[in-house]
Amino acid sequence: MRGSIMIFAAAVLLLVLPSAHGQFPRACSSAEVLLSKECCPAWAGDGSPCGEASGRGTCQDVVLSNSSIGPQFPFSGVDDRENWPIVFYNRTCQCQGNFMGYNCGDCKFGFTSPNCTVRKRMIRKEIFRMTSAEKDKFIAYLNLAKRTISPDYVIATGTYEQMNNGSNPLFADINVYDLFVWLHYYSSRDAFLEGGLVWSNIDFAHEAPGFLPWHRFFLLQWEHELQKVTGDENFTIPFWDWRDAQQCDVCTDEFFGGIHPTSTALLSPASFFSSWQVVCSQPEEYNRLRILCNGTNEGPLQRSPGRHDRNRTPSLPTSADVEACLSLTDYETGPMDRNANFSFRNTLEGFANTRTAIANSSQSNMHNSLHVYLNGSMSSVQGSANDPIFVLHHAFVDSIFEQWLRRHQPSLDVFPEVNAPIGHNRGFYMVPFIPLYTNGEFFAQSRDLGYDYDYLAEADSIEDFLSRYLEKARQTWQWLVGAAVVGGLITAVIASIVSLACRRKKRAVSEEAQPLLMEAEDYQSTYQSNL
């Protein structure tokens, strides 16, 4: 089986790779572009910047939100990610209609066809509801992504200052899978301050309102990239429903790797993933040297499920925990960070007690609990995406977010416009993505973005059926009531006629024909009652 999967992956590798999404487009990584600060590559379809000649988009100035931020990051002008992406580019492609991409060469999520006019909706399946062929294909795709250099994107290996403000570009190639590990690292890395100091209380993807929309876009982009790498436009990422799990059900050699027979920190040598090398997993070293992760291998993938601090995470989340979280009506509250109480976002992220929704720094619940429980590579925020279980885990977290959106039907105004931690206001562009998207754009239901989850789609189908049935009943109930009234009147008239006829007939009967039983009157009463 393993050999057949590798042959399949090798065959897929021969496919032509079209344009994709990501962070630094390869076409925008030269000194000339960095100094001009204009990232508006040509679309190959017509050779014009942003596909302008075909009406796909135009090259425009980046317009930033000027809304105030919270006090969590009391600095300004010290980090490349502030006011993203102005440090690197102040002009980018602004796509029109159903087009998107750094050069407007792709279709928006949920659209397909050459002109992006056809709607489509993909269904993400629970990993244990996939067929063996689907599961094997997914694993093959992961290995292919791990071994394919991104044709369109590079990663920054130095800060803008270390690049001499653009005149000395510092970029490197990276494979498609590790590109997303790097994106997750870069969004959550610590900030370098003057005097060799480091500020750790900064994160553009976690611990604030943007946590859920940021990861929603991240997964969509990751999914879209694999569709392009494999040429399989119907591919969707699976999810792992970990409600009420007693152990890591996907930690087997059939799926994502069992435990090594002689080392509890490593994966079984029978697993594909035992040969995987991790990147961006040494934040302390980067801080000490004041460098960025450059995508080089740093050792084997590690995982040790269940060998974690049980005082911090006694057990995995239950169905009751998920329901308690979904019952919270406020998306965000208070300081809008890890100390927020009664916040759906903070409770789902795992910084608050699930049952009380009160922030508790000594516990790791919900989303956080899976990272703690799996231990190893997953337990480090910046390097957690190295473990392929990361994708399945966050896809299920995203499905819980989707349940909340459908249950509470919040308006966009629910998402904070001001005073959130840096990078998390509604109108701020999500770091570190190009093309540009705001947090608010992905505070939207998944069906509007072209995908759904199997268990939610099935529930909606039942609900739609019942809704249609109840609507038809609502439309006909007045007619039914009227028919019942008319039927009652007709019945009463008939009964009156029959009763009158019976009395006339009774008077015509002679005395000799009358009942002889003394109990005749009582009997008649009982009979009538029974009738």
Side-chain angles (χ1 to χ4, degrees):
M1 179 61 72
R2 179 171 178 171
S4 62
I5 294 175
M6 293 307 296
I7 293 173
F8 176 78
V12 176
L13 184 59
L14 299 177
L15 295 170
V16 176
L17 303 177
S19 62
H21 306 259
Q23 200 236 338
F24 291 101
R26 191 179 296 274
C28 297
S29 62
S30 67
E32 180 183 3
V33 173
L34 288 174
L35 292 173
S36 71
K37 291 199 170 187
E38 181 174 291
C39 181
C40 295
W43 175 51
D46 62 17
S48 66
C50 311
E52 183 173 4
S54 301
R56 286 180 167 254
T58 57
C59 187
Q60 297 183 16
D61 293 341
V62 174
V63 179
L64 298 176
S65 169
N66 59 2
S67 57
S68 60
I69 63 173
Q72 291 85 354
F73 186 67
F75 307 97
S76 179
V78 300
D79 193 280
D80 292 345
R81 299 165 295 178
E82 297 177 52
N83 295 315
W84 180 261
I86 288 297
V87 169
F88 294 98
Y89 312 110
N90 56 26
R91 284 175 64 81
T92 62
C93 289
Q94 301 295 307
C95 303
Q96 301 170 358
N98 296 330
F99 302 110
M100 73 173 186
Y102 70 88
N103 61 357
C104 301
D106 295 322
C107 295
K108 277 186 176 179
F109 301 119
F111 289 89
T112 187
S113 82
N115 293 318
C116 305
T117 56
V118 178
R119 283 189 173 274
K120 70 171 184 177
R121 182 177 297 173
M122 310 295 288
I123 300 296
R124 293 177 179 173
K125 298 177 67 173
E126 212 277 335
I127 187 71
F128 292 107
R129 299 180 69 174
M130 298 174 74
T131 65
S132 295
E134 289 173 331
K135 182 260 297 178
D136 291 343
K137 182 171 68 173
F138 175 57
I139 293 176
Y141 284 0
L142 291 175
N143 277 280
L144 175 63
K146 189 74 170 177
R147 291 164 173 78
T148 303
I149 297 298
S150 174
D152 296 295
Y153 286 90
V154 292
I155 61 170
T157 58
T159 65
Y160 193 68
E161 180 182 7
Q162 291 168 345
M163 295 184 194
N164 292 326
N165 298 324
S167 62
N168 179 36
L170 296 174
F171 296 100
D173 290 334
I174 195 165
N175 67 61
V176 172
Y177 187 96
D178 289 347
L179 170 65
F180 288 89
V181 178
W182 189 91
L183 290 170
H184 194 263
Y185 147 79
Y186 189 82
S187 69
S188 57
R189 71 174 182 85
D190 300 333
F192 299 151
L193 305 180
E194 295 180 356
L197 300 177
V198 171
W199 188 267
S200 61
N201 191 22
I202 182 173
D203 196 312
F204 290 83
H206 304 84
E207 303 182 21
F211 168 69
L212 292 169
W214 190 96
H215 284 84
R216 171 156 286 194
F217 174 72
F218 178 84
L219 292 177
L220 276 167
Q221 184 177 351
W222 194 91
E223 185 175 67
H224 190 64
E225 183 76 3
L226 259 71
Q227 290 171 357
K228 288 177 172 288
V229 167
T230 62
D232 183 358
E233 65 177 12
N234 295 316
F235 165 76
T236 57
I237 59 176
F239 64 93
W240 171 32
D241 184 346
W242 34 249
R243 289 175 295 184
D244 305 312
Q246 300 300 309
Q247 60 186 357
C248 179
D249 300 326
V250 294
C251 296
T252 65
D253 289 340
E254 180 185 1
F255 289 93
F256 300 100
I259 299 174
H260 194 282
T262 61
S263 174
T264 58
L266 299 177
L267 303 187
S268 164
S271 167
F272 279 113
F273 304 101
S274 63
S275 64
W276 275 31
Q277 291 280 309
V278 300
V279 298
C280 304
S281 64
Q282 301 175 351
E284 295 82 5
E285 187 71 2
Y286 310 145
N287 290 346
R288 184 181 69 84
L289 299 175
R290 298 181 73 81
I291 60 174
L292 301 185
C293 166
N294 60 12
T296 57
N297 293 336
E298 297 172 344
L301 177 65
Q302 296 187 356
R303 190 190 306 136
S304 186
R307 293 176 174 84
H308 63 288
D309 183 356
R310 293 186 178 273
N311 291 323
R312 174 166 289 278
T313 301
S315 63
L316 294 176
T318 65
S319 297
D321 292 331
V322 172
E323 181 56 35
C325 186
L326 287 169
S327 68
L328 297 172
T329 57
D330 292 329
Y331 177 76
E332 194 58 90
T333 62
M336 296 182 274
D337 57 21
R338 72 178 75 178
N339 298 310
N341 296 324
F342 309 111
S343 158
F344 166 73
R345 186 277 312 164
N346 201 40
T347 305
L348 177 54
E349 192 168 358
F351 293 107
N353 182 287
T354 309
R355 302 303 175 90
T356 65
I358 300 296
N360 184 351
S361 61
S362 67
Q363 295 286 306
S364 293
N365 302 294
M366 293 300 285
H367 154 266
N368 289 347
S369 69
L370 268 294
H371 285 277
V372 172
Y373 173 85
L374 289 173
N375 222 334
S377 300
M378 272 283 276
S379 61
S380 169
V381 174
Q382 296 179 21
S384 57
N386 278 293
D387 193 326
I389 295 178
F390 174 96
V391 177
L392 283 77
H393 168 44
H394 272 273
F396 188 60
V397 171
D398 183 73
S399 78
I400 298 174
F401 176 36
E402 182 61 25
Q403 287 190 67
W404 187 87
L405 289 172
R406 296 185 191 183
R407 179 180 299 190
H408 299 281
Q409 298 289 318
S411 67
L412 184 57
D413 292 337
V414 167
F415 197 95
E417 184 179 13
V418 298
N419 299 328
I422 186 170
H424 288 267
N425 283 343
R426 183 199 314 162
F428 282 11
Y429 293 119
M430 292 188 286
V431 175
F433 301 113
I434 292 176
L436 304 177
Y437 292 102
T438 64
N439 292 304
E441 289 180 80
F442 286 83
F443 189 74
Q445 291 195 24
S446 68
R447 290 173 294 195
D448 295 333
L449 299 170
Y451 73 100
D452 204 345
Y453 291 93
D454 57 5
Y455 76 106
L456 298 182
E458 291 168 0
D460 284 348
S461 296
I462 296 173
E463 184 177 339
D464 289 343
F465 170 79
L466 293 176
S467 297
R468 289 194 297 270
Y469 181 84
L470 293 173
E471 176 63 18
K472 184 170 290 187
R474 186 188 68 80
Q475 294 173 352
T476 59
W477 74 271
Q478 292 176 326
W479 181 87
L480 292 173
V481 171
V485 171
V486 172
L489 291 174
I490 293 174
T491 301
V493 171
I494 293 174
S496 299
I497 294 172
V498 172
S499 177
L500 180 60
C502 289
R503 284 198 297 270
R504 288 178 178 177
K505 184 175 182 181
K506 185 176 180 179
R507 284 196 297 268
V509 177
S510 63
E511 286 292 331
E512 289 79 9
Q514 295 296 321
L516 298 176
L517 296 176
M518 296 298 295
E519 299 87 355
E521 187 174 352
D522 294 335
Y523 175 80
Q524 183 71 11
S525 175
T526 303
Y527 183 82
Q528 288 175 342
S529 298
N530 292 340
L531 179 63

